[in-house]
Every structure is written in C-alpha cells, then in structure tokens.
Amino acid sequence: WRDGTDVGRRVAARHQGSVRCICFSPDGRRVYSAGDDSTVRAWNGRSGVELLVLQGPPAGVTRLVVSEDGAMLVGAGARGEPVCWDAASGLREEGADVLRQAAALLTPGAAASTA
C-alpha cells in the first residue's frame, strides 16, 4: 500500500481509536481493517476507497482472517468471540457451521474452507 496515495492515513482517520489489525483478501483486491471502534472496514486494495463498514463486537476487533477462497471474513473480538461476515456483501453470518469455520480460521495453522 505504498503507492503514494496516503491510504494508511485514510484508514487510520476513518477508525475512531486504534487500528488493531489489517488483512488482505487472497486476491489482493480488498484490504480489511479493524480496531477499537468496533468496526471492520473493507477497502479497495488498489485505490484505497472505502467499500464497506461492518459492525463488530462492542469491545472492538483484535484479529481478522479471510478464508482461502475470500468468501468469509472472520474477526475475533477483544474477549475472543468470533464474528463472521460474507466478505462480498458485508452481511453477518451466523449458525453452528459458520462458527465452526470461524474457529478453524482463527486457529493458527488450521486450514478451513467455506465450501
């Protein structure tokens, strides 16, 4: 993201409080940022334009992971609770299967798919 567009400052300015984590989609088209303000923001990976604002847990998001196929975005709240979103639409995903996939994605070294 060192392309002279000052994207890093734009990301920091859009969050209220500290930015805790940033991750990239597998294809590099999207960048996700999360922080103390309980939001996760999706950005265009090339232009830095903000695409989506997702609501996270009240205590903020401390970790973000994107599934290998780029379809699911998983965040871990400050208290460890997983939150899942459809990466394309930003809609929150829930259910036992989703939480199982989320736990696998948040576990270092674990492989998970959304199929």
Side-chain angles (χ1 to χ4, degrees):
W1 252 9
R2 293 183 185 170
D3 61 358
T5 62
D6 249 355
V7 174
R9 288 186 189 169
R10 192 177 316 152
V11 169
R14 296 293 293 156
H15 282 281
Q16 309 253 332
S18 298
V19 174
R20 295 290 175 189
C21 50
I22 294 177
C23 71
F24 291 81
S25 64
D27 63 7
R29 292 183 180 177
R30 285 194 179 192
V31 179
Y32 300 94
S33 60
D36 290 341
D37 61 357
S38 299
T39 66
V40 173
R41 295 173 185 273
W43 307 85
N44 180 294
R46 282 190 175 273
S47 69
V49 171
E50 186 177 76
L51 304 172
L52 295 169
V53 179
L54 314 173
Q55 190 59 47
V61 177
T62 59
R63 186 158 177 228
L64 281 175
V65 181
V66 181
S67 62
E68 288 181 14
D69 63 3
M72 180 187 287
L73 177 65
V74 178
R79 296 184 186 107
E81 68 278 23
V83 182
C84 308
W85 299 272
D86 177 277
S89 69
L91 295 175
R92 198 116 169 215
E93 296 188 346
E94 298 178 356
D97 288 341
V98 170
L99 291 177
R100 240 186 324 277
Q101 291 172 8
L105 285 168
L106 290 169
T107 303
S113 70
T114 57

